[in-house]
Amino acid sequence: DVKVTQSSRYLVKRTGEKVFLECVQDMDHENMFWYRQDPGLGLRLIYFSYDVKMKEKGDIPEGYSVSREKKERFSLILESASTNQTSMYLCASSRDRVGQPQHFGDGTRLSIL
Amino acid sequence: DQQVKQNSPSLSVQEGRISILNCDYTNSMFDYFLWYKKYPAEGPTFLISISSIKDKNEDGRFTVFLNKSAKHLSLHIVPSQPGDSAVYFCAASVRNNDMRFGAGTRLTVKP
């Protein structure tokens, strides 16, 4: 069974802090993704990565960066947290093959005060 | 600009009846469509998918229908069970990368 693990379920940070959200998958998946989920907006893609050290912007990359130094780990970084980044953050991974679904972690609920 | 739309935020059905969840998309390049189910405090889990070369895919109680000319897909759950109560997300992608999700529909199945 695929396991995608997000380091924290709940996180509270202050405005202006640098915030790191970590995600690890154990199935040797090539692709990894970061989304945020907000009411009425569904899941919006922030960044994704097809391979180690590769990254691509999604729909809402502003205010975020990512790091993929190892295949199993994909980190989301909030450079200077702001209150509008309060959200549920979801990490996912998938095989780089047509028809392969994404597997999600349980999410990190981040509150920026 | 939302490329995948779920216009019904919620749906309530009686146990044993059919649940029909709808989804519309705008990008004709999408070639793979998926449905995910999400319980509170958990990540979405994959339910069923369909490629653009098909118009129907069935898996047990779940069937997905694709109408490419209308850019519309639907998920049918028959018979609906209380354990099906969850938020359902429709998603679409080009070659399974760069997936786009709808806003979700909250399904409530009443006993």
Side-chain angles (χ1 to χ4, degrees):
Chain A
D1 230 14
V2 176
K3 186 74 176 173
V4 178
T5 303
Q6 294 183 232
S7 54
S8 306
R9 292 300 300 270
Y10 301 94
L11 210 51
V12 180
K13 296 290 182 181
R14 296 209 172 272
T15 303
E17 280 192 69
K18 192 169 185 175
V19 181
F20 294 85
L21 302 182
E22 307 286 347
C23 175
V24 176
Q25 50 95 2
D26 65 359
M27 285 300 291
D28 202 37
H29 284 170
E30 294 84 4
N31 301 336
M32 295 190 75
F33 307 84
W34 274 106
Y35 297 87
R36 60 179 282 176
Q37 181 191 359
D38 299 289
L41 297 176
L43 278 68
R44 292 181 292 165
L45 183 63
I46 304 171
Y47 267 99
F48 57 104
S49 168
Y50 295 137
D51 203 349
V52 176
K53 296 194 185 295
M54 293 185 67
K55 59 184 179 183
E56 298 283 344
K57 291 180 180 179
D59 292 330
I60 51 166
E62 297 78 17
Y64 303 94
S65 63
V66 289
S67 171
R68 192 157 180 212
E69 296 296 318
K70 294 184 178 181
K71 191 174 185 180
E72 68 270 18
R73 186 179 295 270
F74 193 35
S75 303
L76 180 69
I77 304 154
L78 285 66
E79 298 291 344
S80 177
S82 63
T83 55
N84 62 12
Q85 292 178 310
T86 291
S87 186
M88 169 69 82
Y89 289 87
L90 291 159
C91 175
S93 71
S94 72
R95 287 226 175 277
D96 191 25
R97 247 174 254 160
V98 174
Q100 293 299 306
Q102 294 182 13
H103 299 268
F104 285 83
D106 285 337
T108 296
R109 184 162 292 284
L110 175 64
S111 297
I112 307 296
L113 304 179
Chain B
D1 179 32
Q2 270 199 302
Q3 299 182 53
V4 178
K5 295 180 183 178
Q6 293 175 258
N7 293 318
S8 299
S10 63
L11 174 68
S12 182
V13 300
Q14 209 65 37
E15 182 179 5
R17 305 294 290 268
I18 185 171
S19 295
I20 301 176
L21 297 98
N22 293 303
C23 179
D24 297 295
Y25 62 95
T26 58
N27 187 347
S28 57
M29 298 297 291
F30 287 140
D31 59 3
Y32 226 85
F33 304 89
L34 304 90
W35 284 94
Y36 285 82
K37 177 178 178 179
K38 185 180 185 302
Y39 292 118
E42 293 182 12
T45 54
F46 169 70
L47 193 56
I48 192 169
S49 63
I50 188 168
S51 78
S52 58
I53 62 172
K54 294 185 174 182
D55 54 19
K56 178 182 174 181
N57 188 29
E58 198 170 346
D59 183 2
R61 296 186 298 114
F62 302 92
T63 303
V64 56
F65 295 92
L66 176 62
N67 182 334
K68 286 191 294 291
S69 60
K71 294 192 178 70
H72 178 83
L73 68 157
S74 60
L75 174 69
H76 292 208
I77 306 173
V78 184
S80 301
Q81 299 173 354
D84 295 330
S85 297
V87 177
Y88 289 79
F89 290 100
C90 166
S93 70
V94 178
R95 294 189 56 78
N96 202 46
N97 295 322
D98 205 1
M99 200 170 289
R100 294 292 185 271
F101 285 80
T105 297
R106 181 177 300 277
L107 173 66
T108 303
V109 180
K110 297 180 178 178

